[in-house]
Amino acid sequence: MPERNQLKLELPWQYSPKSHELPRNLSHWLLDPGSFMKRLRSQGAENPRVQLLRQIWQFPALSEKRALGTMTRDYALIREVLIYSEGKKWMYARTVFPRKTLTGKQQCLARLKNRSLGSVLFNDPTIERGPFEMICLTQAMPFHQYVLEQTRLSVDQLWARRSRFVLHDKPLLLTEVFLPDVEKL
């Protein structure tokens, strides 16, 4: 029987939607391949912080396994965070770390706590980021409801992207859900 979170994450992700299909006030955020935290600061957000919401070993969703190129029954470390500052909520993020990724020097990724993932990824010269997949999450999607529960927000739709990173030949998958406050920057 599939785990509850697997059902929430089987979404119709799409590669490279046309720029006219993306909301104008979010497209530059959705298409930016750099560090979200760095961009937040450059846009005037003061002292953005990461709050660890949950970190747990579990089976990734099938679509996450496909995106990572792993189809085994291995557990992965799932890390969920909220990025916020100034009384504003900017992003919900979910990272899937396959067990094999958290070996050697990359063991530090399992101990990030309230540190940003980008503080490690974007400081490593071996980092490779794959293409973005995007989706507009609507109220009919269980993952939309899950994000709202985690962030204590109420909104009809949310835009999200995900991409696969490779760090020293080890993959991880980052899903980023942009919260309404980011549209105002």
Side-chain angles (χ1 to χ4, degrees), residues 4-5 8 51-55 80-83 89 91-94 142-153 179:
R4 200 173 122 217
N5 285 340
K8 293 177 184 168
Q51 176 187 350
L52 180 65
L53 299 173
R54 184 171 87 131
Q55 185 165 301
E80 298 175 3
V81 301
L82 173 67
I83 299 174
K89 297 175 182 178
M91 175 182 282
Y92 161 88
R94 173 185 168 95
F143 186 55
H144 177 271
Q145 293 303 318
Y146 180 77
V147 171
L148 294 184
E149 289 168 15
Q150 298 305 306
T151 59
R152 296 187 175 118
L153 292 172
L179 302 177

Side-chain angles (χ1 to χ4, degrees), residues 10-46:
E10 298 308 322
L11 300 167
W13 293 97
Q14 58 177 288
Y15 285 102
S16 305
K18 308 272 188 289
S19 59
H20 72 273
E21 295 173 351
L22 301 174
R24 191 175 337 150
N25 51 352
L26 263 184
S27 62
H28 62 282
W29 288 97
L30 287 162
L31 299 171
D32 187 340
S35 164
F36 178 75
M37 294 291 276
K38 186 175 181 180
R39 175 141 191 178
L40 260 182
R41 287 184 194 98
S42 75
Q43 295 294 311
E46 293 182 32

